[in-house]
């Protein structure tokens, strides 16, 4: 965080300043801000966030031991550290982030890019950050820091030297993206796709559309909307952008896109695509597995070139990226038994894309094995969407379908109903039972996809399989 007096923070947040040690209201705070006491560094600010299972106020002492000089709290504590007492520390965190970014922006050259979409946010964020970090100091989220806590924590890492802030915005409910993006008013808003992820919480796909379009509305007037030309719902956000005086930059596979992929070839070593960037031909050899990641690369290219990065330079930097993020299409195992651990998140769209990738990268004499768990946050759509995955796995001729957990059982039942009944499809109640089966079932030449939502916990099964067959 940029140096800020305690009194300024307290006044900004409408909080009560409790001064401890040798501090005064004029004492400057400039350390990193975090809600995890284990990550606090000397000079840091600890946000004592109440949680569902524990309370951050219990860990203020730990934060002080690690060097915290300020705690944002909802009640005054006896710990020997200066405190600002506020009614809601999460709301205070957002307000502090907004203030810091505004002050940096006021006297610097900070450009802000916001990214949202039902799938691909984290990958696109990482790809764009890789491009921009060569141009100047770039701040981007760790992992999937895209909610009411993670997004402000990322914003608070900007300094007077920061040239680019790349923010990822997730949507837990309608209005969430508007609140998060409204903290910083991005110069560029990137919308990747509108799919079924979180549709259960939003009440359907149209509600998801309105939630994702909040980023375009929150992008500054006269800014830029980077939109997926191939997704009709994203394309329908163009009028919103035009009403705000924003230019629109399209990416996709169709002729409308200024940043466009032509021929795409998928292999076990990555994806090769012939591109047109503003009419100029380029070739991209992406080491990240999966044809669907080409669209994420196009979105990153569209934003980066709009910021003045030469297309050839941006493409060369994209080609250095080996994996999008841990547990996202992460190759593990060995050439003998290749494990693809993609179990950090799952939606109907990403599940379908991962299964298609598995089929595409498996050569003659090799066997496709899909290890599948539940997709979360689908609400009333859960049954039919899990059925669709089972059906797709059969239609793609996946040779072994291993379904894990009662929430995912319908995938297995649908696969059986579609003809995968002679041992091709199996079901296990938990990951340990599945691991015991796979230890003896997997053989040389197998290409194994492990895919589920984070809540299913299969990413750890993927790690175990990767170690077992390394």
């Amino acid at each position: 965080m940029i140096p800020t007096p305690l009194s300024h923070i307290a006044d900004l947040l409408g909080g009560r300043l409790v001064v401890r040690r040798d501090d005064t209201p004029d004492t400057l705070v400039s350390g990193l801000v975090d809600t995890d006491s284990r990550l606090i560094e000397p000079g840091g600010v600890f946000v004592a966030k109440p949680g569902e299972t524990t309370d951050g106020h219990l860990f203020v002492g730990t934060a002080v031991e690690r060097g915290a000089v300020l705690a944002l709290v909802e009640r005054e504590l006896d710990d020997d550290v200066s405190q600002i007492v506020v009614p809601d520390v999460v709301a205070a965190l957002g307000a502090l982030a907004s203030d810091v970014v505004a002050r940096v922006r006021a006297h610097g050259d900070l450009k802000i890019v916001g990214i949202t979409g039902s799938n691909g946010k984290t990958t696109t964020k990482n790809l764009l950050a890789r491009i921009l970090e060569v141009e100047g100091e770039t701040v981007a989220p760790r992992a999937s820091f895209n909610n009411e806590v993670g997004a402000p924590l990322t914003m608070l890492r900007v300094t007077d030297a920061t040239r680019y802030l790349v923010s990822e915005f997730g949507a837990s409910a309608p209005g969430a993206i508007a609140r998060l993006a409204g903290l910083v008013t991005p110069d560029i808003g990137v919308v990747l796709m509108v799919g079924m992820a979180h549709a259960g919480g939003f009440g359907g796909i149209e509600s998801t559309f309105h939630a994702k379009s909040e980023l375009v509305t929150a992008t500054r007037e006269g800014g830029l909307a980077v939109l997926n030309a191939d997704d009709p719902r994203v394309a329908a956000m163009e009028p919103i952008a035009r009403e705000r005086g924003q230019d629109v930059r399209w990416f996709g596979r169709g002729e409308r896109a200024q940043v466009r992929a032509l021929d795409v070839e998928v292999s076990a070593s990555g994806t090769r695509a012939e591109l047109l960037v503003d009419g100029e031909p380029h070739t991209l050899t992406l080491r990240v597995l999966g044809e669907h990641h080409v669209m994420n690369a196009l979105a990153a290219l569209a934003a980066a070139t709009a910021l003045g990065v030469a297309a050839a330079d941006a493409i060369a930097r994209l080609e250095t990226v080996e994996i999008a993020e841990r547990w996202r299409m992460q190759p593990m195992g060995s050439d003998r038994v290749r494990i693809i651990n993609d179990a950090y998140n799952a939606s109907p769209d990403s599940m379908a894309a991962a299964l298609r990738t598995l089929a595409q990268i498996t050569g003659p004499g090799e066997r496709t094995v899909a290890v599948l768990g539940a997709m979360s946050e689908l609400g009333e759509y859960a049954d039919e969407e899990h059925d669709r995955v089972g059906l797709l796995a059969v239609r793609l001729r996946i040779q072994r379908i291993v379904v894990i957990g009662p929430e995912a059982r319908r995938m297995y039942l649908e696969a059986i109903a579609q003809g995968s009944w002679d041992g091709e499809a199996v079901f296990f109640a938990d990951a340990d039972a599945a691991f015991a089966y796979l230890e003896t079932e997997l053989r040389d030449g197998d290409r194994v996809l492990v895919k589920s939502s984070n809540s299913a916990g299969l990413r750890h099964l993927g790690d175990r399989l990767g170690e077992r067959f390394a």
Side-chain angles (χ1 to χ4, degrees):
M1 186 171 71
I2 60 174
T4 306
L6 291 175
S7 58
H8 176 87
I9 300 174
D11 291 345
L12 170 74
L13 304 181
R16 178 169 60 88
L17 176 60
V18 179
V19 176
R20 298 274 168 85
R21 299 177 175 173
D22 296 326
D23 291 343
T24 72
D26 294 327
T27 297
L28 294 177
V29 177
S30 59
L32 294 177
V33 182
D34 216 304
T35 58
D36 188 335
S37 61
R38 297 167 297 181
L39 300 179
I40 290 294
E41 298 178 1
V45 177
F46 179 60
V47 181
K49 183 178 77 69
E52 293 182 3
T53 58
T54 188
D55 184 348
H57 292 77
L58 301 175
F59 300 96
V60 171
T62 302
V64 174
E65 290 174 0
R66 294 189 59 85
V69 298
L70 175 65
L72 294 185
V73 295
E74 294 181 0
R75 60 181 184 271
E76 184 177 341
L77 302 173
D78 292 332
D79 298 271
D80 187 24
V81 64
S82 291
Q83 301 162 40
I84 296 177
V85 185
V86 295
D88 184 332
V89 295
V90 173
L93 178 65
L96 180 59
S98 182
D99 176 74
V100 166
V101 171
R103 286 190 286 141
V104 171
R105 210 176 202 177
H107 55 79
D109 190 30
L110 178 65
K111 296 295 183 183
I112 301 174
V113 182
I115 300 171
T116 196
S118 297
N119 298 111
K121 295 183 293 296
T122 299
T123 299
T124 304
K125 170 263 297 183
N126 287 340
L127 295 176
L128 180 57
R130 177 63 62 89
I131 295 171
L132 295 179
E133 65 188 11
V134 181
E135 302 292 317
E137 181 178 300
T138 300
V139 171
R142 304 194 305 259
S144 293
F145 269 35
N146 60 23
N147 62 11
E148 61 182 357
V149 173
L153 288 178
T154 299
M155 297 167 187
L156 283 163
R157 288 167 47 209
V158 302
T159 70
D160 289 327
T162 304
R163 188 170 175 188
Y164 303 104
L165 169 62
V166 181
S167 287
E168 175 185 342
F169 299 126
S172 56
I177 292 175
R179 288 192 297 274
L180 293 175
L183 296 176
V184 292
T185 314
D187 300 289
I188 299 176
V190 181
V191 185
L192 301 171
M193 65 176 297
V194 176
M196 290 298 294
H198 313 299
F202 291 135
I205 194 72
E206 290 307 316
S207 296
T208 305
F209 161 79
H210 290 296
K212 301 303 180 185
S213 68
E214 291 171 7
L215 177 56
V216 179
T217 303
T219 297
R220 70 171 175 83
E221 293 186 7
L224 176 70
V226 174
L227 303 179
N228 183 348
D230 298 350
D231 186 321
R233 291 186 175 88
V234 176
M237 297 177 192
E238 180 184 15
I240 302 172
R242 300 297 186 191
E243 288 174 6
R244 292 186 55 74
Q246 298 166 2
D247 290 330
V248 175
R249 188 158 172 78
W250 300 99
F251 67 93
R253 303 285 293 270
E255 294 183 359
R256 187 182 196 183
Q258 292 117 315
V259 181
R260 180 183 175 196
L262 304 173
D263 296 329
V264 177
E265 180 181 341
V266 180
S267 71
S269 60
T271 306
R272 180 183 174 88
E274 299 301 322
L275 308 182
L276 282 177
V277 182
D278 298 312
E280 294 293 327
H282 296 272
T283 299
L284 169 68
T285 303
L286 196 63
R287 297 160 76 179
V288 180
L289 290 178
E291 182 176 0
H292 53 296
H293 286 310
V294 171
M295 289 296 285
N296 299 328
L298 294 179
L301 272 174
T305 50
L307 289 167
V309 182
D313 292 339
I315 289 168
R317 295 166 199 170
L318 288 176
E319 292 181 334
T320 68
V321 179
E322 296 184 7
I323 63 170
E325 183 84 49
R326 187 182 181 192
W327 299 316
R328 287 178 170 86
M329 297 302 287
Q330 181 179 1
M332 307 180 78
S334 63
D335 290 339
R336 187 170 60 87
V337 177
R338 174 63 66 197
I339 310 296
I340 303 170
N341 193 349
D342 192 31
Y344 187 83
N345 211 345
S347 68
D349 297 301
S350 69
M351 186 74 81
L355 285 169
R356 291 191 181 100
T357 297
L358 176 64
Q360 289 170 325
I361 68 173
T362 304
E366 299 174 344
R367 185 173 66 157
T368 50
V369 181
V371 181
L372 308 176
M375 301 175 289
S376 61
E377 300 183 62
L378 292 175
E380 63 183 287
Y381 306 98
D383 286 352
E384 63 182 276
E385 293 301 334
H386 283 87
D387 287 350
R388 289 179 193 273
V389 172
L391 173 61
L392 178 62
V394 174
R395 288 183 173 175
L396 290 173
R397 301 183 184 276
I398 303 300
Q399 291 157 282
R400 284 291 183 273
I401 303 169
V402 181
V403 179
I404 303 172
E407 296 84 0
R409 186 177 176 85
R410 289 187 68 112
M411 294 182 192
Y412 165 73
L413 296 175
E414 183 65 17
I416 293 293
Q418 296 298 326
S420 286
W421 49 268
D422 191 20
E424 295 99 334
V426 293
F427 173 79
F428 296 97
D430 58 57
D432 287 340
F435 179 77
Y437 165 79
L438 290 164
E439 261 198 313
T440 57
E441 172 65 21
L442 296 182
R443 65 194 190 203
D444 287 3
D446 281 353
R447 299 297 177 253
V448 185
L449 170 70
V450 183
K451 180 69 174 172
S452 73
S453 284
N454 198 354
S455 59
L458 296 197
R459 63 195 185 282
H460 303 302
L461 172 62
D463 288 343
R464 291 176 68 190
L465 290 171
E467 293 174 4
R468 170 63 179 81
F469 292 98

